[in-house]
Amino acid sequence: MVRVTVPATTANIGPGFDTLGLALNMYNVYNFEETELGLIIEGCPDEYNNEDNLIYKSFVIAAKEMGKEVKGLKISMNTEIPVSRGLGSSSACIVGGVYGANELLHGGLSKDELFRIAVKIEGHPDNIAPAVYGGLTASIVEDDKTYCMKYNLSEKLKFCALIPDFETSTCEARKLLPQDVTFKDAVFNISRTAVLLKAMEEGNFEVISVSLKDKLHQKYRKTLIHQYDEVKKICIENKSDAFFISGSGPTLMNIIQNPEFTNRIKVSIMNLEHNWIVKYLEADKYGVTVEQI
Ligand code: HSE
C-alpha cells in the first residue's frame, strides 16, 4: 500500500495573487492500493464516492501521462483539511492522486514533473506549489511549463486560521474579479509582493503588515465572506500582525508572533453569527511525503 500525506496550503498571501503560497501543518492522508477491478473509496462523504472524485481523477490523469493503465483501485483517506474553505483541499486531492499514481504504478516521474501535471489539473500553481515543495513558494506558468521558487521563512512567523462554517466556491470567487486593473494598482501589488517575501524571510512583522496589502482581489471577494469586516476588526483589536483572505476564502488568516493570540480571539469570535473555528498553525517545511506501508 502507498501512503501519501499532503499539507494544507494558504494561497495569494495578500498581494501575491495566483503566485504566492505557503504550506501549513494540517494534513490529508491518502492510502492507495491496487485491486482486481473497480473503484473503492473510503473515508469521505458519499457525494465524493464515485469516479468524479478529484483524487481518483488526478490519479487517472497522472497514470495516463505515465503511459500506465489503472485496473482497480482502493483509496482510503483520513482528512484534516476542510473542504472549500480556502486551505488547499482541492490541491491536496490533486497532489495526493498524482503522487499516489507515480508511486503505486512505478511512474518514476520527478518532483518537477509531478508538479507540472498537478498544476495542469488545478489550473493555477499557487496552492499546488507549497503542497509539493513545502514552505513558502512563488510560482508561475509559462506556456505548458511550470516554475517554482522556494523562499526561506522566518521561524518567528506563526499563523492563526479562522475557518467559518460556510463554504465559498473558488470558481464563483474568481468571477467577482475585474477583467482589467489600473497600472497604479498593478504596481501597488507587484512592489508589495517583492517586499513581503523578504520581510517573511527576515521575520520583520512591521514590514509584513504594510506589504501584505492588496488592491487586486480581496476587496471584491470579501462580499462572499459573512461578517468579514467584523472579523477583521476583532483581529486588529487583538493585535493581529497581518490579516488576509486565505486563497479565495472564506478562511481568514492571521500572521502572528505570539500563539496567545489564538486564545484571546476565541472569546470575541464566539459572539458572531456564524461559527468560526480558530486554529493555530505553523508552516510545513517539506510538502508532500510518500511512504510504502
Ligand atoms: N489563487 C487562487 C484564487 C487560489 O485566489 O482564486 C484559490 O485556489
Side-chain angles (χ1 to χ4, degrees):
M1 183 171 82
V2 165
R3 174 165 294 168
V4 183
T5 304
V6 192
T9 51
T10 182
N12 299 331
I13 317 184
F17 181 74
D18 270 3
T19 308
L20 300 186
L22 174 71
L24 296 163
N25 65 342
M26 175 163 47
Y27 300 91
N28 281 4
V29 179
Y30 306 109
N31 298 316
F32 298 90
E33 282 171 80
E34 274 190 284
T35 58
E36 283 298 314
L37 247 162
L39 173 66
I40 304 166
I41 303 179
E42 288 176 356
C44 66
D46 284 349
E47 61 189 294
Y48 302 117
N49 196 344
N50 53 55
E51 292 197 351
D52 285 332
N53 182 293
L54 188 54
I55 309 157
Y56 177 67
K57 277 169 60 175
S58 306
F59 187 103
V60 172
I61 291 171
K64 268 197 192 129
E65 291 254 357
M66 295 162 201
K68 306 270 183 180
E69 204 190 326
V70 185
K71 289 191 198 121
L73 184 67
K74 178 176 171 188
I75 306 172
S76 59
M77 66 195 86
N78 196 343
T79 57
E80 283 186 328
I81 309 171
V83 175
S84 299
R85 296 300 201 286
L87 287 166
S89 62
S90 309
S91 295
C93 291
I94 294 168
V95 171
V98 168
Y99 266 75
N102 190 48
E103 190 68 18
L104 198 68
L105 306 176
H106 309 288
L109 296 184
S110 68
K111 211 175 183 64
D112 290 351
E113 197 53 29
L114 295 168
F115 173 55
R116 184 190 64 78
I117 296 171
V119 170
K120 213 164 143 192
I121 300 170
E122 172 95 315
H124 43 86
D126 50 343
N127 284 104
I128 298 283
V132 169
Y133 298 100
L136 172 63
T137 57
S139 44
I140 52 172
V141 181
E142 176 86 18
D143 302 324
D144 197 26
K145 278 191 150 183
T146 41
Y147 302 86
C148 173
M149 290 287 126
K150 192 166 166 176
Y151 285 79
N152 291 328
L153 184 69
S154 165
E155 297 280 346
K156 286 193 256 173
L157 269 65
K158 311 294 179 201
F159 302 87
C160 177
L162 306 175
I163 310 167
D165 59 5
F166 54 86
E167 300 180 0
T168 52
S169 132
T170 296
C171 183
E172 291 306 311
R174 289 183 88 83
K175 282 186 199 155
L176 291 181
L177 302 176
Q179 289 293 314
D180 301 297
V181 298
T182 63
F183 194 79
K184 204 171 148 199
D185 285 355
V187 172
F188 185 95
N189 273 50
I190 294 165
S191 53
R192 275 159 186 77
T193 303
V195 172
L196 174 65
L197 285 167
K198 192 67 185 167
M200 288 177 81
E201 181 186 316
E202 292 190 351
N204 185 330
F205 285 90
E206 186 189 341
V207 178
I208 290 172
S209 122
V210 177
S211 57
L212 202 85
K213 290 181 184 164
D214 128 81
K215 294 211 170 177
L216 298 186
H217 61 108
Q218 297 182 103
K219 66 180 170 192
Y220 305 104
R221 287 171 156 182
K222 68 178 200 177
T223 54
L224 290 175
I225 304 172
H226 308 287
Q227 295 195 298
Y228 171 94
D229 289 326
E230 286 85 342
V231 177
K232 185 170 180 179
K233 187 165 172 265
I234 290 171
C235 292
I236 290 166
E237 280 171 2
N238 282 283
K239 304 200 175 4
S240 164
D241 290 287
F243 175 91
F244 62 94
I245 298 178
S246 182
S248 59
T251 291
L252 299 172
M253 189 66 76
N254 293 276
I255 302 180
I256 54 174
Q257 301 186 56
N258 187 350
E260 190 48 41
F261 173 86
T262 312
N263 292 332
R264 281 204 309 268
I265 206 161
K266 270 182 189 160
V267 181
S268 325
I269 285 281
M270 257 168 43
N271 298 324
L272 293 173
E273 193 185 322
H274 286 268
N275 284 323
W276 294 74
I277 293 168
V278 178
K279 186 137 179 96
Y280 172 78
L281 292 164
E282 296 186 0
D284 166 280
K285 293 179 188 164
Y286 307 107
V288 58
T289 55
V290 183
E291 299 160 83
Q292 286 278 355
I293 303 285

